[in-house]
Amino acid sequence: NAGVTQTPKFRVLKTGQSMTLLCAQDMNHEYMYWYRQDPGMGLRLIHYSVGEGTTAKGEVPDGYNVSRLKKQNFLLGLESAAPSQTSVYFCASSYIGEQFFGPGTRLTVL
Amino acid sequence: GNSVTQMEGPVTLSEEAFLTINCTYTATGYPSLFWYVQYPGEGLQLLLKATKADDKGSNKGFEATYRKETTSFHLEKGSVQVSDSAVYFCALRPISSGSARQLTFGSGTQLTVLP
């Protein structure tokens, strides 16, 4: 099992550009999450999904959109990137307890 | 609201030293409590957990006890190794998280163990 994988690992964008981050899990988990990690602030929840076709806002959803068209995939989109979105993004999935995390995507917005 | 407060880092110890990383929380009722570890360049991994008051979670020589009276979940290890160098996150899952099972994280504590 690969667990939780994220694509890409690194990305540099210019202000105003768009991109999509892909998260995939092969554990048949219902719940999936997108977090951002910033220095001194821990992890903050952006959006989450409790099942295929469902999404909901987390703590810091502004500037991001998500989709969960397939159970195994959870996409995070930035329509118009801003420097404030420079961060490390983590995806996670869970079933009844423990959350399993991907390796992260380091995004820099210039 | 729910919150987790962690001991500020970074923490630097010599190998075989005793480790304590403090964690206190604010939440309604009896949340579940977790410690996650993040090794350099990797995602977070669950280290240990406790789901009710007075429970002790343990794994890889690390321990933490759920103290309702002090709303704390301090992480301890009797003898750290260089391989324990990582960032440690305390987290809680409130009873009210319902089907979403959302976690609230502390800010993380960087631990460096020197040989």
Side-chain angles (χ1 to χ4, degrees), chain B residues 38 69-70:
Chain B
Q38 183 182 28
E69 62 276 11
T70 54

Side-chain angles (χ1 to χ4, degrees), chain A residues 31 33 35 37 40-43 45 48 50 58 90 94-104, chain B residues 34 36 38 41-46 49 87 89 93 98-108:
Chain A
Y31 309 107
Y33 311 83
Y35 295 91
Q37 182 182 28
M41 302 188 72
L43 275 73
L45 184 64
Y48 64 95
V50 300
F90 287 99
S94 72
Y95 177 48
I96 58 172
E98 177 184 353
Q99 290 191 15
F100 294 83
F101 285 80
Chain B
F34 305 83
Y36 279 82
Q38 183 182 28
E42 299 183 9
L44 280 70
Q45 304 172 25
L46 180 65
K49 66 181 181 182
V87 181
F89 291 92
R93 186 175 67 228
S99 63
R101 305 179 188 280
Q102 298 174 48
L103 295 174
T104 297
F105 287 89
S107 57

